[in-house]
Amino acid sequence: MRQRCCNPYDDAWEHYGGRGIRVCWSWLSLDGFANFLADMGSRPPAMTLDRIDNDGNYEPGNCRWATWSTQMHNRRKRKGASSKYRGVYVTRKDNFAAQFRVDSKNIHLGTFPTELLAAQAYDTVASKHFGSEACTNFQEVL
């Protein structure tokens, strides 16, 4: 919680501190952990900290202990979760993955830093598999 909201070098910072999510002062003070425990209690088994309002701050009135399943139903929709390219989707770490479907099976082609690279990987495999009949993202396969 603290790292995601306070450390701009944390991998998840852009989704928390970078978009304005803060931790209440009481939980950041010198007695922060003691204050957090007083407000939230100890973590129950198989539970993690969850914000009730995903656009709200980490504070006593907006936090609860929740199961992973509950948290998966309490997620904000992320912009660009689907790609404009065939065979490409956005991963949880905001990379792009390419997959190719053949014989009712998905074949994972890899994870790429850009949407364009993932689309090119898809096109390469589709062209090799289907030749000139392949449905690709671009006219020419690079």
Side-chain angles (χ1 to χ4, degrees):
M1 165 188 70
R2 291 177 75 153
Q3 287 297 311
R4 292 186 294 208
C5 293
C6 302
N7 180 0
Y9 298 103
D10 187 272
D11 288 342
W13 186 81
E14 73 177 278
H15 301 291
Y16 293 88
R19 69 182 190 97
I21 305 300
R22 303 288 178 248
V23 178
C24 71
W25 179 87
S26 156
W27 293 357
L28 290 175
S29 68
L30 273 176
D31 297 324
F33 188 67
N35 294 337
F36 172 82
L37 283 177
D39 291 333
M40 297 298 301
S42 295
R43 181 178 66 87
M47 301 266 191
T48 57
L49 189 63
D50 182 44
R51 284 175 297 125
I52 297 163
D53 173 6
N54 287 310
D55 292 321
N57 293 324
Y58 282 98
E59 55 194 6
N62 192 41
C63 288
R64 64 183 173 188
W65 295 113
T67 63
W68 184 251
S69 176
T70 298
Q71 287 197 34
M72 290 298 99
H73 289 94
N74 186 32
R75 292 169 49 170
R76 70 183 172 107
K77 293 193 183 213
R78 289 169 73 182
K79 293 179 183 176
S82 59
S83 171
K84 62 185 175 186
Y85 294 111
R86 179 186 315 273
V88 177
Y89 62 94
V90 181
T91 69
R92 291 187 75 183
K93 298 251 183 203
D94 286 336
N95 288 316
F96 297 90
Q99 69 180 14
F100 181 72
R101 188 165 179 84
V102 63
D103 298 328
S104 300
K105 293 181 182 173
N106 287 329
I107 300 167
H108 180 71
L109 304 177
T111 304
F112 303 88
T114 68
E115 196 173 22
L116 182 62
L117 288 172
Q120 290 170 339
Y122 172 88
D123 284 4
T124 299
V125 173
S127 294
K128 284 181 184 174
H129 190 77
F130 292 112
S132 63
E133 301 297 315
C135 291
T136 59
N137 293 297
F138 308 104
Q139 294 286 337
E140 293 180 35
V141 178
L142 300 174

